[in-house]
Amino acid sequence: MLVLSPVVEAPAAAEQFWCPLPPQPWPARIDLSGSSSDGEVALVLLQLAQYNRVGEKHVLSAAEISRAESLVLPGGLAVRAGNKEVLPSCCCGLEGWIEWDLLLENSVSPWMGHDPSPWIERVGESYVLWPDEGISQSQREEACIFFGRDVLTDQLSKVLACLQAFSGRIVEVAGKHVPGFASDLEMAFRNAFASPATPIEA
């Protein structure tokens, strides 16, 4: 069974932050959902603060994140099917997850990063996710993931629901530590990552 999950790469370690951080070691990636722990929400907020700074600028404050015109996060959609897993790789961003919607319209593969370089091919009304163009054909065929249009449509709707539920967790966690910015932080995250430009339809 195919499962798509929004994930964010863990941030760099920080000695201080405006939201309490969980003890290390941190996971390499954080799955985003309404069940994300306070610590996982804090790690995503720290990644927002670190990744969206300009040049050598200090880590962004809650106010600066809430006022940002645009936000990006290293990550994307993790693809899992049984014991197979394909993760977003280098230079892939969570903000680009809506590109998966293009598969339903014109078969354009979403950008999933490089090193490795996965991509998706449409075959009729079905799809094949190839894990890396840099490996042999036999290895690709062994590791590829097949899924249908209906499954893709269902999973993209669930991804959007997970991101919207996670934005609700931001309000809850930030409300404990920076209550004056909790709603603005939630709206900034929702606008950047949980409000697709086009509806996901079958």
Side-chain angles (χ1 to χ4, degrees):
M1 176 65 180
L2 181 82
V3 176
L4 299 180
S5 303
V7 298
V8 169
E9 291 181 14
E15 293 183 3
Q16 292 184 330
F17 189 50
W18 40 266
C19 191
L21 299 170
Q24 296 195 50
W26 297 339
R29 292 175 180 81
I30 302 112
D31 281 61
L32 309 187
S33 74
S35 300
S36 296
S37 67
D38 285 17
E40 289 169 331
V41 174
L43 290 179
V44 173
L45 290 172
L46 176 59
Q47 184 65 283
L48 275 171
Q50 291 178 342
Y51 204 73
N52 290 278
R53 63 185 177 183
V54 179
E56 296 302 314
K57 192 180 187 301
H58 62 283
V59 172
L60 297 184
S61 66
E64 288 169 319
I65 292 176
S66 66
R67 293 194 304 263
E69 293 184 3
S70 63
L71 293 168
V72 293
L73 275 171
L77 298 188
V79 185
R80 301 175 175 114
N83 61 353
K84 298 178 181 179
E85 179 179 65
V86 177
L87 299 170
S89 45
C90 184
C91 299
C92 191
L94 180 63
E95 65 283 353
W97 78 269
I98 197 58
E99 292 179 6
W100 283 72
D101 197 26
L102 297 176
L103 285 168
L104 300 172
E105 301 300 327
N106 55 20
S107 307
V108 176
S109 178
W111 168 248
M112 300 175 68
H114 63 92
D115 291 328
S117 301
W119 83 101
I120 298 174
E121 177 185 7
R122 183 169 178 173
V123 181
E125 290 300 306
S126 299
Y127 304 89
V128 183
L129 191 161
W130 302 98
D132 185 11
E133 64 183 0
I135 62 177
S136 69
Q137 182 67 21
S138 61
Q139 288 175 306
R140 289 182 200 168
E141 291 175 355
E142 183 177 346
C144 67
I145 296 173
F146 298 88
F147 53 96
R149 180 185 177 88
D150 290 347
V151 171
L152 175 62
T153 301
D154 177 65
Q155 286 299 309
L156 289 177
S157 295
K158 289 180 178 178
V159 166
L160 179 58
C162 282
L163 290 169
Q164 292 175 340
F166 182 83
S167 70
R169 291 289 295 129
I170 289 177
V171 171
E172 295 171 355
V173 174
K176 301 174 185 177
H177 309 291
V178 284
F181 297 102
S183 294
D184 290 340
L185 285 169
E186 186 272 344
M187 185 58 65
F189 181 91
R190 183 179 288 262
N191 288 341
F193 308 107
S195 297
T198 56
I200 297 169
E201 299 177 348

